[in-house]
Amino acid sequence: MEGPRGEVTTVEEPRVQNRESVDVAQSATTEASASVAPTIKSLSQLPSINYLNLSFTFTPIEDMGRAPCCEKVGLKKGRWTAQEDQILTNYIRANGEGSWRSLPKNAGLLRCGKSCRLRWINYLRDDLKRGNISAQEEQTIIQLHASLGNRWSIIASELPGRTDNEIKNYWNSHLSRKIYGLRPPPPADNSNRNTHTPPKRKGRGRTSPSSEDLLEVLDIIMGDHTVDTTTHSCLPEGASGGDGVFKLSEERERNDVQEEWYNNNYWEWDSHQNECSSSDEWHKQNLLSWLWEDDDLERDCHVTAELDSQKLDDMLAWFLSS
DNA sequence: AAGCAAATCAACCGCAACGAA
DNA sequence: CTTCGTTGCGGTTGATTTGCT
Protein backbone atom coordinates (compact mmCIF):
# COMPACT_ATOMS: atom_id res chain seq x y z
CA MET A 1 0.00 0.00 0.00
CA GLU A 2 1.16 3.51 -0.64
CA GLY A 3 1.43 6.09 2.04
CA PRO A 4 0.20 9.64 1.71
CA ARG A 5 3.09 10.65 -0.50
CA GLY A 6 4.26 7.52 -2.11
CA GLU A 7 6.22 5.66 0.49
CA VAL A 8 5.71 1.96 0.34
CA THR A 9 4.16 0.42 3.36
CA THR A 10 3.08 -3.03 4.21
CA VAL A 11 -0.13 -3.85 2.51
CA GLU A 12 -2.90 -5.63 4.20
CA GLU A 13 -6.30 -6.50 2.99
CA PRO A 14 -8.52 -3.47 2.84
CA ARG A 15 -10.08 -2.81 6.16
CA VAL A 16 -13.33 -2.08 4.50
CA GLN A 17 -14.51 -4.52 1.94
CA ASN A 18 -15.21 -2.25 -0.91
CA ARG A 19 -17.03 -2.95 -4.09
CA GLU A 20 -14.60 -5.52 -5.38
CA SER A 21 -15.98 -8.18 -3.14
CA VAL A 22 -19.47 -7.23 -4.08
CA ASP A 23 -18.62 -7.29 -7.73
CA VAL A 24 -16.96 -10.65 -7.54
CA ALA A 25 -19.90 -12.15 -5.80
CA GLN A 26 -22.53 -10.42 -7.85
CA SER A 27 -20.94 -10.98 -11.20
CA ALA A 28 -20.24 -14.56 -10.41
CA THR A 29 -23.78 -15.04 -9.28
CA THR A 30 -25.32 -13.54 -12.33
CA GLU A 31 -22.90 -14.42 -15.07
CA ALA A 32 -20.84 -17.42 -14.23
CA SER A 33 -21.57 -20.94 -13.26
CA ALA A 34 -24.28 -21.31 -10.71
CA SER A 35 -22.28 -24.02 -9.02
CA VAL A 36 -19.47 -21.59 -8.29
CA ALA A 37 -21.56 -18.69 -7.08
CA PRO A 38 -22.62 -20.04 -3.70
CA THR A 39 -19.01 -20.78 -2.88
CA ILE A 40 -18.02 -17.25 -3.68
CA LYS A 41 -20.85 -15.75 -1.74
CA SER A 42 -20.12 -17.75 1.33
CA LEU A 43 -16.43 -17.04 1.14
CA SER A 44 -16.99 -13.36 0.68
CA GLN A 45 -18.80 -13.24 3.95
CA LEU A 46 -15.73 -14.42 5.80
CA PRO A 47 -13.38 -11.86 7.30
CA SER A 48 -9.96 -11.35 5.73
CA ILE A 49 -10.64 -13.51 2.74
CA ASN A 50 -7.70 -13.79 0.40
CA TYR A 51 -9.15 -13.13 -3.00
CA LEU A 52 -5.88 -13.74 -4.71
CA ASN A 53 -5.70 -17.29 -3.56
CA LEU A 54 -9.34 -17.61 -4.33
CA SER A 55 -8.54 -16.99 -7.96
CA PHE A 56 -6.41 -20.09 -8.18
CA THR A 57 -9.24 -22.27 -7.00
CA PHE A 58 -11.54 -21.28 -9.84
CA THR A 59 -11.98 -23.15 -13.00
CA PRO A 60 -11.01 -20.51 -15.51
CA ILE A 61 -14.14 -19.03 -16.97
CA GLU A 62 -12.93 -19.43 -20.52
CA ASP A 63 -12.58 -23.12 -19.86
CA MET A 64 -16.20 -23.42 -18.88
CA GLY A 65 -18.78 -24.31 -21.42
CA ARG A 66 -19.82 -20.86 -22.36
CA ALA A 67 -17.67 -17.85 -23.03
CA PRO A 68 -18.54 -14.99 -20.75
CA CYS A 69 -20.42 -12.12 -22.27
CA CYS A 70 -18.09 -9.78 -20.48
CA GLU A 71 -14.44 -10.52 -20.03
CA LYS A 72 -14.49 -8.76 -16.71
CA VAL A 73 -16.71 -11.32 -15.10
CA GLY A 74 -15.05 -12.58 -11.96
CA LEU A 75 -12.17 -10.16 -12.10
CA LYS A 76 -11.00 -8.48 -8.97
CA LYS A 77 -11.35 -4.72 -8.62
CA GLY A 78 -10.24 -2.17 -6.13
CA ARG A 79 -7.00 -1.77 -4.28
CA TRP A 80 -4.07 -3.96 -5.08
CA THR A 81 -2.53 -6.14 -2.42
CA ALA A 82 1.19 -6.50 -1.84
CA GLN A 83 0.93 -10.07 -3.06
CA GLU A 84 -0.61 -8.97 -6.33
CA ASP A 85 2.04 -6.28 -6.68
CA GLN A 86 4.74 -8.86 -6.22
CA ILE A 87 3.26 -11.19 -8.78
CA LEU A 88 2.88 -8.41 -11.31
CA THR A 89 6.35 -7.06 -10.67
CA ASN A 90 7.97 -10.45 -10.94
CA TYR A 91 6.14 -11.22 -14.12
CA ILE A 92 7.01 -7.96 -15.85
CA ARG A 93 10.64 -8.16 -14.77
CA ALA A 94 10.81 -11.61 -16.24
CA ASN A 95 8.80 -11.00 -19.38
CA GLY A 96 8.84 -7.28 -19.96
CA GLU A 97 6.02 -4.83 -20.41
CA GLY A 98 3.30 -5.15 -22.96
CA SER A 99 0.70 -7.72 -23.92
CA TRP A 100 -1.41 -6.38 -21.14
CA ARG A 101 -4.45 -8.29 -22.19
CA SER A 102 -2.83 -11.66 -21.80
CA LEU A 103 -0.63 -10.66 -18.89
CA PRO A 104 -3.09 -11.30 -16.07
CA LYS A 105 -3.83 -14.77 -17.25
CA ASN A 106 -0.17 -15.61 -17.80
CA ALA A 107 0.86 -14.11 -14.50
CA GLY A 108 -1.96 -15.69 -12.59
CA LEU A 109 -3.66 -12.49 -11.60
CA LEU A 110 -7.39 -12.09 -11.37
CA ARG A 111 -7.25 -8.61 -12.81
CA CYS A 112 -7.94 -7.11 -16.18
CA GLY A 113 -5.04 -6.05 -18.34
CA LYS A 114 -5.94 -2.44 -17.97
CA SER A 115 -5.73 -2.65 -14.25
CA CYS A 116 -2.34 -4.36 -14.43
CA ARG A 117 -0.99 -1.76 -16.80
CA LEU A 118 -2.22 1.07 -14.63
CA ARG A 119 -0.77 -0.46 -11.50
CA TRP A 120 2.59 -0.94 -13.14
CA ILE A 121 2.73 2.47 -14.76
CA ASN A 122 1.54 4.42 -11.76
CA TYR A 123 3.08 2.56 -8.90
CA LEU A 124 5.35 -0.41 -9.53
CA ARG A 125 7.77 0.85 -12.15
CA ASP A 126 11.34 1.12 -10.94
CA ASP A 127 11.94 4.59 -12.29
CA LEU A 128 9.16 6.29 -10.38
CA LYS A 129 10.15 9.18 -8.21
CA ARG A 130 8.71 9.02 -4.74
CA GLY A 131 7.95 11.90 -2.48
CA ASN A 132 6.44 15.32 -2.71
CA ILE A 133 6.26 17.37 -5.84
CA SER A 134 9.07 19.88 -5.62
CA ALA A 135 8.63 23.59 -6.18
CA GLN A 136 10.49 23.24 -9.45
CA GLU A 137 8.25 20.43 -10.58
CA GLU A 138 5.20 22.39 -9.56
CA GLN A 139 6.36 25.33 -11.59
CA THR A 140 6.91 23.08 -14.57
CA ILE A 141 3.46 21.60 -14.23
CA ILE A 142 1.85 25.00 -14.06
CA GLN A 143 3.69 26.28 -17.08
CA LEU A 144 3.06 23.20 -19.14
CA HIS A 145 -0.57 23.19 -18.20
CA ALA A 146 -0.88 26.80 -19.24
CA SER A 147 0.51 25.86 -22.60
CA LEU A 148 -0.94 22.41 -23.13
CA GLY A 149 -4.06 22.19 -21.05
CA ASN A 150 -5.02 18.84 -19.58
CA ARG A 151 -2.48 16.88 -21.57
CA TRP A 152 -1.33 15.03 -18.53
CA SER A 153 0.69 12.36 -20.27
CA ILE A 154 2.70 14.96 -22.15
CA ILE A 155 3.20 17.00 -19.02
CA ALA A 156 4.30 13.87 -17.21
CA SER A 157 6.81 13.12 -19.93
CA GLU A 158 8.59 16.33 -18.97
CA LEU A 159 8.81 15.27 -15.34
CA PRO A 160 10.93 12.14 -15.05
CA GLY A 161 9.62 9.72 -12.50
CA ARG A 162 6.20 11.29 -12.32
CA THR A 163 3.06 9.78 -13.77
CA ASP A 164 0.20 11.44 -15.55
CA ASN A 165 -2.15 10.26 -12.85
CA GLU A 166 0.00 11.75 -10.14
CA ILE A 167 0.24 15.07 -11.91
CA LYS A 168 -3.43 15.12 -12.68
CA ASN A 169 -4.27 14.47 -9.06
CA TYR A 170 -1.80 17.06 -7.90
CA TRP A 171 -3.27 19.58 -10.26
CA ASN A 172 -6.82 18.89 -9.22
CA SER A 173 -6.13 18.83 -5.52
CA HIS A 174 -3.48 21.52 -5.18
CA LEU A 175 -2.82 23.69 -8.17
CA SER A 176 -6.23 24.32 -9.64
CA ARG A 177 -7.46 25.48 -6.30
CA LYS A 178 -4.39 27.58 -5.80
CA ILE A 179 -4.82 29.21 -9.17
CA TYR A 180 -8.54 29.50 -9.43
CA GLY A 181 -8.75 30.50 -5.83
CA LEU A 182 -6.66 33.48 -6.77
CA ARG A 183 -8.50 34.47 -9.88
CA PRO A 184 -11.72 33.23 -11.34
CA PRO A 185 -11.30 30.38 -13.81
CA PRO A 186 -10.97 31.49 -17.39
CA PRO A 187 -14.30 31.96 -19.08
CA ALA A 188 -15.41 29.18 -21.34
CA ASP A 189 -16.02 31.41 -24.30
CA ASN A 190 -13.56 32.78 -26.81
CA SER A 191 -12.27 35.39 -24.48
CA ASN A 192 -10.15 32.67 -22.95
CA ARG A 193 -6.64 33.42 -24.08
CA ASN A 194 -5.67 29.80 -24.12
CA THR A 195 -7.02 29.45 -27.60
CA HIS A 196 -3.96 27.68 -28.87
CA THR A 197 -4.42 24.61 -26.75
CA PRO A 198 -3.88 21.81 -29.19
CA PRO A 199 -6.79 19.60 -30.10
CA LYS A 200 -7.30 16.60 -27.97
CA ARG A 201 -5.03 13.74 -28.90
CA LYS A 202 -4.63 14.46 -32.54
CA GLY A 203 -1.47 12.89 -33.77
CA ARG A 204 1.83 13.39 -32.01
CA GLY A 205 1.59 16.77 -30.43
CA ARG A 206 4.49 18.74 -29.09
CA THR A 207 5.94 17.29 -25.97
CA SER A 208 7.16 20.40 -24.25
CA PRO A 209 5.91 23.92 -23.72
CA SER A 210 7.01 25.04 -27.09
CA SER A 211 9.52 27.80 -27.01
CA GLU A 212 7.81 29.01 -30.15
CA ASP A 213 4.79 29.99 -28.13
CA LEU A 214 6.78 32.09 -25.75
CA LEU A 215 8.93 33.39 -28.51
CA GLU A 216 5.82 34.63 -30.27
CA VAL A 217 4.89 36.66 -27.27
CA LEU A 218 8.36 38.02 -26.95
CA ASP A 219 8.42 38.67 -30.65
CA ILE A 220 5.27 40.70 -30.35
CA ILE A 221 6.43 42.56 -27.31
CA MET A 222 9.77 43.62 -28.64
CA GLY A 223 11.64 44.51 -31.78
CA ASP A 224 9.76 46.02 -34.65
CA HIS A 225 6.58 44.43 -33.40
CA THR A 226 6.22 42.45 -36.55
CA VAL A 227 5.51 38.77 -36.56
CA ASP A 228 5.17 36.42 -39.46
CA THR A 229 1.82 34.79 -38.77
CA THR A 230 2.39 32.14 -41.35
CA THR A 231 4.90 30.50 -39.07
CA HIS A 232 3.34 31.33 -35.72
CA SER A 233 0.10 29.76 -34.73
CA CYS A 234 -0.70 31.01 -31.28
CA LEU A 235 -1.03 34.71 -31.66
CA PRO A 236 -3.76 36.38 -29.72
CA GLU A 237 -7.03 35.78 -31.39
CA GLY A 238 -7.81 38.37 -34.01
CA ALA A 239 -4.21 39.43 -34.33
CA SER A 240 -3.49 37.78 -37.63
CA GLY A 241 -3.23 39.95 -40.67
CA GLY A 242 -4.57 38.74 -43.98
CA ASP A 243 -1.19 39.03 -45.59
CA GLY A 244 0.43 36.78 -43.05
CA VAL A 245 2.12 39.63 -41.26
CA PHE A 246 0.86 41.01 -38.02
CA LYS A 247 1.86 44.52 -37.11
CA LEU A 248 1.53 45.50 -33.51
CA SER A 249 0.19 48.98 -33.80
CA GLU A 250 -3.02 48.85 -31.87
CA GLU A 251 -3.33 48.99 -28.13
CA ARG A 252 -5.67 46.06 -28.31
CA GLU A 253 -2.89 43.69 -29.34
CA ARG A 254 -0.71 44.66 -26.45
CA ASN A 255 -3.62 44.09 -24.17
CA ASP A 256 -3.97 40.65 -25.67
CA VAL A 257 -0.38 39.83 -24.91
CA GLN A 258 -0.69 41.18 -21.41
CA GLU A 259 -3.79 39.17 -20.83
CA GLU A 260 -2.10 36.04 -22.07
CA TRP A 261 0.79 36.64 -19.78
CA TYR A 262 -1.48 37.22 -16.83
CA ASN A 263 -3.41 34.11 -17.65
CA ASN A 264 -0.19 32.16 -17.63
CA ASN A 265 1.37 33.74 -14.59
CA TYR A 266 -1.19 34.86 -12.11
CA TRP A 267 -0.47 31.87 -9.91
CA GLU A 268 2.85 33.45 -9.14
CA TRP A 269 1.28 36.45 -7.57
CA ASP A 270 0.28 34.66 -4.44
CA SER A 271 3.78 33.50 -3.63
CA HIS A 272 5.63 36.61 -4.76
CA GLN A 273 3.50 39.49 -3.74
CA ASN A 274 5.22 39.68 -0.37
CA GLU A 275 8.70 39.49 -1.81
CA CYS A 276 8.60 42.59 -3.95
CA SER A 277 7.97 46.07 -2.87
CA SER A 278 5.86 46.93 -5.86
CA SER A 279 3.74 45.12 -8.34
CA ASP A 280 5.84 46.53 -11.17
CA GLU A 281 8.96 44.96 -9.73
CA TRP A 282 7.17 41.68 -9.40
CA HIS A 283 5.93 41.95 -12.95
CA LYS A 284 9.45 42.57 -14.18
CA GLN A 285 10.92 39.68 -12.30
CA ASN A 286 8.20 37.30 -13.27
CA LEU A 287 8.07 38.30 -16.88
CA LEU A 288 11.78 37.73 -17.22
CA SER A 289 11.51 34.49 -15.37
CA TRP A 290 8.70 33.44 -17.61
CA LEU A 291 10.49 34.33 -20.77
CA TRP A 292 13.74 32.64 -19.83
CA GLU A 293 12.23 29.59 -18.31
CA ASP A 294 12.85 27.60 -21.43
CA ASP A 295 16.47 27.07 -22.40
CA ASP A 296 15.58 26.72 -26.04
CA LEU A 297 13.78 29.99 -25.93
CA GLU A 298 16.73 31.71 -24.38
CA ARG A 299 18.99 30.31 -27.06
CA ASP A 300 16.54 31.20 -29.78
CA CYS A 301 16.20 34.72 -28.52
CA HIS A 302 19.89 35.28 -28.34
CA VAL A 303 20.31 33.96 -31.84
CA THR A 304 17.33 35.52 -33.51
CA ALA A 305 16.70 38.64 -31.52
CA GLU A 306 20.16 39.62 -30.34
CA LEU A 307 18.55 40.83 -27.22
CA ASP A 308 20.52 43.40 -25.27
CA SER A 309 19.79 44.84 -21.90
CA GLN A 310 18.55 48.15 -23.26
CA LYS A 311 16.12 46.37 -25.53
CA LEU A 312 14.99 44.28 -22.62
CA ASP A 313 14.38 47.34 -20.51
CA ASP A 314 12.45 48.92 -23.34
CA MET A 315 10.45 45.80 -23.74
CA LEU A 316 9.58 45.65 -20.08
CA ALA A 317 8.77 49.34 -19.95
CA TRP A 318 6.49 48.96 -22.90
CA PHE A 319 4.90 45.84 -21.55
CA LEU A 320 4.31 47.25 -18.12
CA SER A 321 2.88 50.50 -19.35
CA SER A 322 -0.86 50.61 -19.39
C1' DA B 1 -12.87 11.08 21.86
C1' DA B 2 -16.43 11.55 18.41
C1' DG B 3 -18.42 13.31 14.45
C1' DC B 4 -18.15 15.66 10.39
C1' DA B 5 -16.14 17.85 6.27
C1' DA B 6 -12.54 18.42 3.23
C1' DA B 7 -8.58 16.77 0.99
C1' DT B 8 -6.03 13.22 -1.13
C1' DC B 9 -5.06 9.73 -4.33
C1' DA B 10 -5.52 4.92 -6.21
C1' DA B 11 -8.15 2.93 -9.40
C1' DC B 12 -12.02 2.47 -12.66
C1' DC B 13 -14.51 3.72 -16.87
C1' DG B 14 -15.42 5.18 -21.46
C1' DC B 15 -13.56 6.58 -25.48
C1' DA B 16 -10.33 7.47 -29.15
C1' DA B 17 -6.10 6.32 -31.52
C1' DC B 18 -3.60 2.99 -33.65
C1' DG B 19 -2.14 -1.10 -35.99
C1' DA B 20 -3.01 -5.63 -37.83
C1' DA B 21 -5.83 -8.62 -40.46
C1' DC C 1 -11.49 0.58 -47.01
C1' DT C 2 -13.46 -1.79 -43.04
C1' DT C 3 -13.40 -4.30 -38.93
C1' DC C 4 -11.55 -5.72 -34.75
C1' DG C 5 -8.44 -6.02 -30.86
C1' DT C 6 -5.21 -3.55 -28.03
C1' DT C 7 -3.36 0.29 -25.84
C1' DG C 8 -3.23 4.72 -23.78
C1' DC C 9 -5.46 8.92 -22.19
C1' DG C 10 -8.31 11.93 -19.48
C1' DG C 11 -12.37 12.34 -16.58
C1' DT C 12 -14.39 10.65 -12.67
C1' DT C 13 -15.35 7.97 -8.54
C1' DG C 14 -15.07 6.65 -4.00
C1' DA C 15 -12.13 4.73 -0.18
C1' DT C 16 -9.09 6.50 2.97
C1' DT C 17 -6.72 10.04 5.46
C1' DT C 18 -6.40 14.40 7.59
C1' DG C 19 -7.99 18.36 9.90
C1' DC C 20 -11.31 20.89 12.36
C1' DT C 21 -14.96 21.62 15.80
Side-chain angles (χ1 to χ4, degrees), chain A residues 268-283:
Chain A
E268 286 288 336
W269 177 253
D270 191 35
S271 57
H272 286 85
Q273 58 182 337
N274 295 326
E275 298 173 11
C276 303
S277 56
S278 70
S279 60
D280 276 4
E281 183 60 27
W282 177 83
H283 285 146

Side-chain angles (χ1 to χ4, degrees), chain A residues 57 89 94 106 116 144 162 194 198 213 218 227 230 243 250-251 272 281 284:
Chain A
T57 67
T89 302
N106 295 337
C116 293
L144 290 179
R162 302 296 185 185
N194 195 19
D213 287 358
L218 178 61
V227 172
T230 61
D243 57 357
E250 302 293 333
E251 193 67 18
H272 286 85
E281 183 60 27
K284 268 189 180 179

Side-chain angles (χ1 to χ4, degrees), chain A residues 70-103:
Chain A
C70 173
E71 64 176 359
K72 292 180 182 178
V73 168
L75 295 185
K76 188 170 181 282
K77 293 167 71 176
R79 305 251 163 179
W80 280 65
T81 65
Q83 194 176 4
E84 289 176 301
D85 283 346
Q86 196 59 56
I87 292 172
L88 180 60
T89 302
N90 291 342
Y91 181 86
I92 291 178
R93 282 180 180 156
N95 301 282
E97 290 185 46
S99 303
W100 296 110
R101 189 178 167 82
S102 58
L103 185 151

Side-chain angles (χ1 to χ4, degrees), chain A residues 13-14 16-27 51 75-81 84 111:
Chain A
E13 285 298 320
V16 176
Q17 272 190 11
N18 48 22
R19 52 182 168 159
E20 74 219 45
S21 58
V22 177
D23 284 357
V24 168
Q26 285 182 342
S27 58
Y51 293 99
L75 295 185
K76 188 170 181 282
K77 293 167 71 176
R79 305 251 163 179
W80 280 65
T81 65
E84 289 176 301
R111 295 275 183 173

Side-chain angles (χ1 to χ4, degrees), chain A residues 143 214 218 261 265 281-294 297-298 307 309 312-313 315-316 319:
Chain A
Q143 289 175 334
L214 296 180
L218 178 61
W261 177 69
N265 291 275
E281 183 60 27
W282 177 83
H283 285 146
K284 268 189 180 179
Q285 288 184 10
N286 197 26
L287 176 60
L288 285 173
S289 170
W290 180 50
L291 293 172
W292 301 136
E293 197 67 39
D294 187 294
L297 172 68
E298 186 172 4
L307 194 63
S309 59
L312 190 59
D313 285 345
M315 179 188 83
L316 288 170
F319 184 80

Side-chain angles (χ1 to χ4, degrees), chain A residues 52 73 224:
Chain A
L52 190 68
V73 168
D224 61 3

Side-chain angles (χ1 to χ4, degrees), chain A residues 14 20 33 37 118 123 191 229 254-255 262 290 321:
Chain A
E20 74 219 45
S33 166
L118 204 64
Y123 187 78
S191 64
T229 59
R254 179 173 61 186
N255 290 342
Y262 278 115
W290 180 50
S321 66

Side-chain angles (χ1 to χ4, degrees), chain A residues 42-54:
Chain A
S42 59
L43 286 171
S44 68
Q45 290 163 355
L46 296 172
S48 301
I49 179 171
N50 187 330
Y51 293 99
L52 190 68
N53 287 342
L54 186 64

